[in-house]
Amino acid sequence: HRRPGCRVDTLIHPDGSEEARVFLENKGYPGIMMTRSLGDLCVKKNGVIAEPEVVNWPTKDCPPGTRLILATDGAFEFLSSAEVADILFKALDQGKTDQEAVEAILEEAKGAWAEYEDDYCDDITVLMVTLDAPALPPIEVCKEKDCLAGIRTACTIL
């Protein structure tokens, strides 16, 4: 696959899954695995866009305590969504706080990077939102530390 100034290399894994990465032509970088990105400016003119794909999911039927995990690709490079959910539920079932549960996901992701990559770890950011949390006030009104009450836990490992 080619667009002027870049190439897409595809690797087919033994299980049949495919991994496609965007590189600048004749370069070994950035090697990103997405078509949308907020960074990676060097490939913007070559088809990688910042326009998000927006999907609406109804949450009115979610039971109290339902949590939504938002994470960067660094968290999901070696962990599946099911594995991340298992780590979260295991931590919560052990009586850990939301913060500790998110930290458990981060540590597992970081450990997976160490297992598969010798000296590289992508950025790993995990945000957990409890869906039955109170609504956030408008940003212009928000001046207190507790204005992010609906966002229960945010933690980043670089």
Side-chain angles (χ1 to χ4, degrees):
H1 301 85
R2 293 202 184 286
R3 284 192 62 126
C6 73
R7 71 178 192 280
V8 177
D9 293 348
T10 303
L11 173 65
I12 300 175
H13 294 280
D15 66 359
S17 63
E18 292 185 12
E19 176 182 314
R21 293 184 178 266
V22 178
F23 293 90
L24 289 176
E25 192 68 50
N26 302 317
K27 305 284 184 190
Y29 61 87
I32 59 175
M33 290 180 40
M34 67 212 62
T35 58
R36 290 167 180 84
S37 174
L38 296 178
D40 304 304
L41 297 177
C42 62
V43 291
K44 292 292 186 221
K45 64 183 176 199
N46 303 108
V48 177
I49 61 172
E51 176 100 12
E53 177 180 351
V54 178
V55 178
N56 291 313
W57 291 311
T59 59
K60 66 180 190 276
D61 295 327
C62 293
T66 297
R67 289 163 170 90
L68 175 65
I69 298 291
L70 306 162
T72 60
D73 61 324
F76 290 107
E77 181 75 21
F78 301 111
L79 298 176
S80 68
S81 296
E83 289 170 315
V84 168
D86 287 344
I87 295 163
L88 172 70
F89 291 131
K90 180 180 176 186
L92 294 173
D93 287 347
Q94 292 173 346
K96 295 190 176 180
T97 65
D98 286 357
Q99 178 71 35
E100 291 168 329
V102 168
E103 289 172 359
I105 295 168
L106 291 166
E107 289 303 318
E108 285 287 329
K110 189 176 174 185
W113 275 97
E115 182 179 336
Y116 292 102
E117 299 286 337
D118 291 331
D119 61 352
Y120 178 76
C121 182
D122 200 359
D123 65 284
I124 303 169
T125 300
V126 177
L127 174 70
M128 182 169 70
V129 180
T130 303
L131 296 182
D132 62 344
L136 294 174
I139 288 178
E140 61 271 12
V141 174
C142 182
K143 293 184 172 54
E144 302 298 320
K145 282 175 37 177
D146 66 347
C147 70
L148 295 178
I151 300 177
R152 303 289 190 202
T153 305
C155 189
T156 301
I157 292 179
L158 295 176

